[in-house]
Amino acid sequence: MASIKDKLSKNLEDGIAGQMKKEADTLAGMSEEELFTYADYDEKEGEKSGYSNYSYWGSTFRMFLKNKGAVCMLVIMVAIVVFTILQPYLPGQMDPNLVNTDPDRFVPLRNVPPGETFWFGTNSIGQDLWARIWTGTRTSLFIGFAVAMVEAVVGITVGVLWGYMRRLDFLFTEIYNVLDNIPHTIILILIAYILTPSVKTLIFAMSLTGWIGMARFIRNQILIIRDRDYNLASRCLGTPTYRLVLKNLLPYLVSVIMLRMALSIPAAIGSEVFITYIGLGLPAATPGLGRLIEEGRVVMMNAAQRYQLIYPTVILSIVTISFYIVGNAFSDAADPKNHR
């Protein structure tokens, strides 16, 4: 049995060897043109092989649009912002500082409940609450956006220098330790008390130390990613510092920067409401949500006049909640880890 197996194996090997030798002889007698067929090069097809249709911002917006709740709040927020801008130019709008009087008796129309003439009623001296609420919302939103932009520009600039430039670490750390130990509320009250009450004064007071939190946060993030391999490779290749910061570091922080900015807007509005609520904010001729809430607080124990507190409080709540939800959703959508 073993001998039959050996014979079969030997015959098989001899057959395979003979076939391979025959094929080798055949190939040896063929020319190069017969052996190879060269593929044609198509430049357009070559470009397609290295092309990717991935777009960071496109992917970010697609991820954001999947969050239906955030999209709904964004629509509400945009509608409020647009309406506050257009409201003074709409027909039938009243002056927010005009004291409305009865044409027959020539007395102020004080505390008139909401109706056809005064949609949100009037306050204790006869001013139209509808016009004052939207003017106050416009003022508060302007303060919030202005403070957020100042905090972003100063905070990002200082944070990048603080985290990337090792020689400046000690200086900025000492500045941070001094400013951070001063209560933010005390600074707001002192600046509002010393300077003339105005929108500029509030923006200056809030921005004076408001950038510290942003700078500290950016500094910590820069320290985490500063010495990663791709940054070290860029430095070794001679990439300028400004380009390394703009191309390698800041794009990685877009999501957290957007979140901080989105949260700083309602925070600034809240500070304006607080400082005006205690009587040190905007002048009487400049309506703000803080002043309107303070005026409503005075009459909130009277059930017939409680609308003066409810309306500005509802508008303030919608604005702050919408900014918070949209900011969180956009931050998650801007995170490359969530992109597919």
Side-chain angles (χ1 to χ4, degrees):
M1 186 65 106
S3 61
I4 294 175
K5 263 189 186 180
D6 294 339
K7 287 180 180 181
L8 290 174
S9 299
K10 188 173 184 308
N11 292 338
L12 183 60
E13 291 175 1
D14 292 342
I16 293 174
Q19 183 67 24
M20 291 178 64
K21 185 175 182 303
K22 184 178 179 180
E23 291 178 359
D25 293 338
T26 303
L27 292 175
M30 297 174 67
S31 63
E32 185 176 344
E33 288 77 9
E34 295 174 324
L35 288 173
F36 300 100
T37 301
Y38 293 96
D40 296 330
Y41 175 70
D42 189 342
E43 186 175 353
K44 292 183 178 179
E45 293 296 327
E47 290 291 334
K48 289 181 180 179
S49 64
Y51 173 75
S52 173
N53 62 352
Y54 172 77
S55 170
Y56 172 77
W57 289 110
S59 180
T60 297
F61 287 118
R62 283 194 297 271
M63 290 295 296
F64 178 80
L65 292 176
K66 292 180 180 179
N67 191 332
K68 303 303 181 184
V71 172
C72 180
M73 296 305 296
L74 176 63
V75 172
I76 295 174
M77 182 180 71
V78 171
I80 290 177
V81 173
V82 172
F83 185 77
T84 55
I85 297 173
L86 299 179
Q87 183 267 334
Y89 306 102
L90 297 177
Q93 303 301 309
M94 298 183 181
D95 187 341
N97 293 319
L98 175 66
V99 177
N100 297 279
T101 58
D102 189 332
D104 297 327
R105 296 181 299 166
F106 297 102
V107 295
L109 297 172
R110 297 187 179 95
N111 301 320
V112 176
E116 294 183 0
T117 304
F118 304 105
W119 294 349
F120 281 3
T122 63
N123 60 10
S124 58
I125 62 174
Q127 295 171 326
D128 180 36
L129 202 57
W130 166 269
R132 288 184 64 80
I133 284 178
W134 293 115
T135 303
T137 304
R138 183 165 58 251
T139 302
S140 298
L141 285 173
F142 174 75
I143 293 174
F145 279 108
V147 172
M149 291 302 299
V150 172
E151 289 184 7
V153 173
V154 178
I156 292 173
T157 303
V158 173
V160 169
L161 294 175
W162 188 4
Y164 193 79
M165 302 293 184
R166 291 179 172 87
R167 292 174 295 179
L168 299 177
D169 183 72
F170 176 78
L171 174 63
F172 282 121
T173 301
E174 293 302 316
I175 294 175
Y176 172 81
N177 291 334
V178 172
L179 296 180
D180 189 56
N181 284 303
I182 303 175
H184 183 65
T185 304
I186 298 299
I187 294 178
L188 280 177
I189 294 175
L190 288 177
I191 297 298
Y193 184 77
I194 294 171
L195 301 181
T196 303
S198 65
V199 173
K200 294 180 180 178
T201 299
L202 282 183
I203 294 175
F204 173 73
M206 295 179 196
S207 303
L208 194 60
T209 59
W211 56 269
I212 295 177
M214 174 74 82
R216 175 76 178 187
F217 185 78
I218 296 298
R219 180 251 186 186
N220 292 339
Q221 297 298 315
I222 293 293
L223 287 177
I224 294 173
I225 64 176
R226 179 181 62 186
D227 294 326
R228 289 186 175 176
D229 292 343
Y230 59 90
N231 290 322
L232 293 176
S234 296
R235 287 201 292 269
C236 291
L237 292 173
T239 304
T241 301
Y242 78 91
R243 184 175 178 83
L244 192 147
V245 170
L246 294 178
K247 297 293 185 179
N248 289 17
L249 300 180
L250 288 183
Y252 187 84
L253 304 176
V254 167
S255 61
V256 293
I257 290 174
M258 294 301 297
L259 175 61
R260 299 283 300 193
M261 288 187 64
L263 297 182
S264 65
I265 294 174
I269 294 175
S271 297
E272 180 269 324
V273 170
F274 166 74
I275 203 69
T276 307
Y277 181 81
I278 63 176
L280 294 175
L282 299 173
T286 306
L289 290 178
R291 178 167 299 281
L292 293 173
I293 292 175
E294 193 275 334
E295 292 174 355
R297 178 192 62 85
V298 176
V299 298
M300 70 177 180
M301 299 309 296
N302 188 335
Q305 301 175 18
R306 203 165 290 165
Y307 63 89
Q308 299 183 31
L309 177 64
I310 293 175
Y311 290 135
T313 303
V314 169
I315 297 296
L316 175 63
S317 301
I318 293 174
V319 170
T320 53
I321 292 173
S322 61
F323 270 107
Y324 178 80
I325 294 177
V326 171
N328 276 284
F330 191 81
S331 175
D332 293 338
D335 190 348
K337 298 176 184 177
N338 296 328
H339 294 190
R340 298 173 182 175

